[in-house]
Amino acid sequence: MKTKLLNSFILFLSLFFINGLTAQTFNVNTIYYQITSSNAPLKVKVINPNGMSGGNYTGDITIPSIVVHNDQTYNVTEIDNYAFYNCTGLTSITIPTSVTSIGEGAFAVCTGLTSISIPSSVTSIRYATFYSCTGLTSVFIGNSVTSIGIGAFDSCNKLTSISLPSSVTSISDSAFAHCDGLTSFTSLATTPPSLGLNVFWGTWQGNCALFVPENSKTAYAAASQWNGFKNVNTYLSTTETKNNLLKVYPNPAKDHVVISNISKGENISVYDLSGKILFQTKSPGNSLNINTSSYKNGIYLVKVGEKTTKIIVNK
């Protein structure tokens, strides 16, 4: 299965670059652009000038939302197909909200990239976008993404957790194949997204916990392929834990979460799913506001005295 996808990927890549760069191109601050609209509003996309050989971009890259060329101001709205393909020296990239489209294979075989945030302006993750990004450990997917393409995260074997926004309705073939490092997979959609073939191909799924909205556990547990996860857990999508009366809000959280219905002086700890302690304190009263702005997206455990509840961070 993996070989078939790789061959298909290489073929597609070859066909894409046969035509070469035909439209006007230029570079500003080491980033190369191709003009996609010469009429107002003026638009460009980020490209790779090396064509099929890829590479070129290294270090930390920040894509601007606008760029000036020949006294004209262009909106940066796209990242081209394979724009950062095989850029093994690329370590980080910042994508502005002006970008509405990220092309196929855009970051494929990009081994130095460790984390990426897909802005809410992007609606789809396309074919092989992060294929074989073996250095990738953290991905944030914006809350407008509705579909995840074939092999999008295939062989991203250092990813340990991933959270899909509630907007995702479909996931294509082999999208998460060979993601052997995943131990936590969160889907915020109340209805299980439709799946293509072998979406979770490999053995990792049997060792990975699935987290879903509390009222959707039965649906996920019964759905084909979704039911292959080690266990199906729920996070509380509203306010209150049923077993211990702790109140948690907002949940999912962005930059903070409030824990209430606690006693003054109680020990409070926050753990990640590996058991690492991220925060410890004693309750100053019956509620506590915990700063989660530095937390990566995922599931965390909050222990209050002998009581434990889950929170999810989704920025």
Side-chain angles (χ1 to χ4, degrees), residues 16-17 20-28 31-38 41-49 57 63-67 74-84 96 98-104 126:
F16 173 76
F17 282 116
L21 300 176
T22 57
Q24 184 179 357
T25 64
F26 61 91
N27 85 82
V28 177
I31 300 177
Y32 287 77
Y33 303 92
Q34 184 178 91
I35 297 172
T36 57
S37 175
S38 298
L42 305 177
K43 298 178 183 179
V44 293
K45 61 182 177 181
V46 178
I47 63 169
N48 194 316
Y57 295 109
I63 300 173
S65 58
I66 59 173
V67 64
Y74 295 86
N75 296 315
V76 182
T77 60
E78 298 178 53
I79 295 176
D80 198 18
N81 294 339
Y82 310 102
F84 296 93
S98 61
V99 170
T100 58
S101 175
I102 297 177
E104 297 173 340
R126 300 169 69 186

Side-chain angles (χ1 to χ4, degrees), residues 230-250:
K230 175 183 177 181
N231 47 53
V232 181
N233 304 272
T234 62
Y235 65 86
L236 294 179
S237 56
T238 52
T239 57
E240 191 172 2
T241 62
K242 296 179 179 179
N243 295 329
N244 54 29
L245 299 182
L246 291 176
K247 290 186 177 180
V248 182
Y249 55 92

Side-chain angles (χ1 to χ4, degrees), residues 244-314:
N244 54 29
L245 299 182
L246 291 176
K247 290 186 177 180
V248 182
Y249 55 92
N251 198 11
K254 290 185 178 180
D255 56 0
H256 77 283
V257 65
V258 176
I259 312 295
S260 65
N261 275 11
I262 54 182
S263 301
K264 184 176 181 179
E266 283 196 293
N267 292 318
I268 299 176
S269 303
V270 179
Y271 300 82
D272 63 20
L273 292 181
S274 71
K276 180 182 178 181
I277 298 177
L278 304 178
F279 173 82
Q280 279 186 318
T281 192
K282 288 186 179 292
S283 168
N286 65 359
S287 66
L288 177 69
N289 190 333
I290 300 175
N291 184 350
T292 59
S293 61
S294 64
Y295 294 6
K296 295 179 180 178
N297 292 300
I299 300 291
Y300 297 86
L301 301 178
V302 178
K303 187 174 182 181
V304 180
E306 297 303 313
K307 303 172 184 177
T308 302
T309 188
K310 302 186 193 80
I311 60 172
I312 183 168
V313 175
N314 185 39

Side-chain angles (χ1 to χ4, degrees), residues 90-251:
L90 181 67
T91 52
S92 72
I93 187 163
T94 301
I95 304 172
T97 55
S98 61
V99 170
T100 58
S101 175
I102 297 177
E104 297 173 340
F107 301 96
V109 201
C110 195
T111 57
L113 187 66
T114 58
S115 65
I116 194 165
S117 178
I118 300 170
S120 58
S121 51
V122 174
T123 59
S124 65
I125 299 175
R126 300 169 69 186
Y127 171 81
T129 299
F130 298 100
Y131 173 74
S132 199
C133 282
T134 55
L136 197 61
T137 59
S138 173
V139 174
F140 168 66
I141 300 174
N143 58 15
S144 295
V145 170
T146 60
S147 62
I148 298 177
I150 295 173
F153 294 94
D154 188 348
S155 301
C156 292
N157 52 25
K158 286 190 178 178
L159 275 179
T160 57
S161 66
I162 196 162
S163 179
L164 305 184
S166 59
S167 54
V168 172
T169 59
S170 66
I171 305 174
S172 296
D173 303 359
S174 304
F176 295 97
H178 311 104
C179 289
D180 299 329
L182 280 173
T183 58
S184 172
F185 194 106
T186 300
S187 176
L188 301 181
T190 54
T191 299
S194 62
L195 303 179
L197 299 175
N198 303 310
V199 169
F200 309 116
W201 184 267
T203 60
W204 65 266
Q205 192 185 13
N207 299 312
C208 184
L210 174 65
F211 292 89
V212 301
E214 60 178 329
N215 295 326
S216 302
K217 182 175 181 178
T218 300
Y220 278 88
S224 177
Q225 294 189 70
W226 289 109
N227 59 14
F229 281 89
K230 175 183 177 181
N231 47 53
V232 181
N233 304 272
T234 62
Y235 65 86
L236 294 179
S237 56
T238 52
T239 57
E240 191 172 2
T241 62
K242 296 179 179 179
N243 295 329
N244 54 29
L245 299 182
L246 291 176
K247 290 186 177 180
V248 182
Y249 55 92
N251 198 11

